[in-house]
Amino acid sequence: MNLVGTGYDVHRFAEGRKLILGGVEIPHPRGLDGHSDADVLCHAIADAILGAIGEQDIGHHFPNTDPACAGMSSLEIVRKAAALVLAIGGRVINVDASLIAEAPKIAPHLAAMKANLAAALGLDPRRVGIKATTNEQLGFIGRAEGIAAMAVAGIELPGT
Ligand code: MG
């Protein structure tokens, strides 16, 4: 059977942090705040995968109170979410995500981000969609206070 899940995440900008999106360090005056590397794209994708198989969200699986999660690469979170799918005999078919940010420009980094996520998921990079849009200067994203991401994941499970 085919399953689909959705994920959403947002992180605020903070001084003195690296900006990591899709496992790629992107030159920018500020990074995103968070317990892990605050990779909002990876978090939305991981939640989409977990949601598709009816699992609890990444806050449950990777609590921000767990010292083991502090500063961890969020590609590892994506890997572990995909491993939960494998553990029940399924596989991730594709993921598709949107980043919503006024800055920085995402396009120059898309290929590297897709390659990282494809490797973490064991997918062909063509099965990893990443788009980017601004928020037309509206709201907290428009004021460049943070970055949001939304994602869907397609999962195939044997049986009906
Ligand atoms: Mg997050």
Side-chain angles (χ1 to χ4, degrees):
M1 90 183 117
N2 295 309
L3 302 167
V4 66
T6 73
Y8 171 81
D9 195 25
V10 60
H11 282 258
R12 67 175 69 234
F13 278 119
E15 304 292 337
R17 296 269 305 174
K18 292 176 179 174
L19 178 59
I20 312 283
L21 294 172
V24 176
E25 185 178 335
I26 296 175
H28 198 58
R30 293 179 298 167
L32 295 174
D33 203 11
H35 184 67
S36 65
D37 61 3
D39 189 332
V40 67
L41 177 62
C42 282
H43 293 180
I45 288 172
D47 256 349
I49 293 167
L50 293 171
I53 58 171
E55 274 285 341
Q56 289 186 271
D57 64 22
I58 64 170
H60 171 83
H61 287 281
F62 309 98
N64 62 13
T65 52
D66 183 352
C69 299
M72 81 188 285
S73 168
S74 295
L75 285 172
E76 186 58 27
I77 293 175
V78 171
R79 250 180 241 118
K80 287 183 174 172
L84 287 173
V85 177
L86 285 175
I88 57 170
R91 66 188 186 103
V92 178
I93 301 297
N94 79 306
V95 296
D96 184 30
S98 293
L99 276 166
I100 307 114
E102 292 303 313
K105 287 258 179 273
I106 304 296
H109 309 287
L110 276 179
M113 291 159 64
K114 286 187 183 190
N116 282 346
L117 284 158
L121 294 166
L123 285 178
D124 187 306
R126 289 171 297 182
R127 302 283 85 81
V128 178
I130 305 172
K131 295 91 58 198
T133 183
T134 72
N135 216 35
E136 292 286 340
Q137 301 180 323
L138 293 168
F140 69 89
I141 296 170
R143 293 189 295 271
E145 294 171 6
I147 295 180
M150 52 183 72
V152 295
I155 306 285
E156 187 177 74
L157 269 185
T160 53

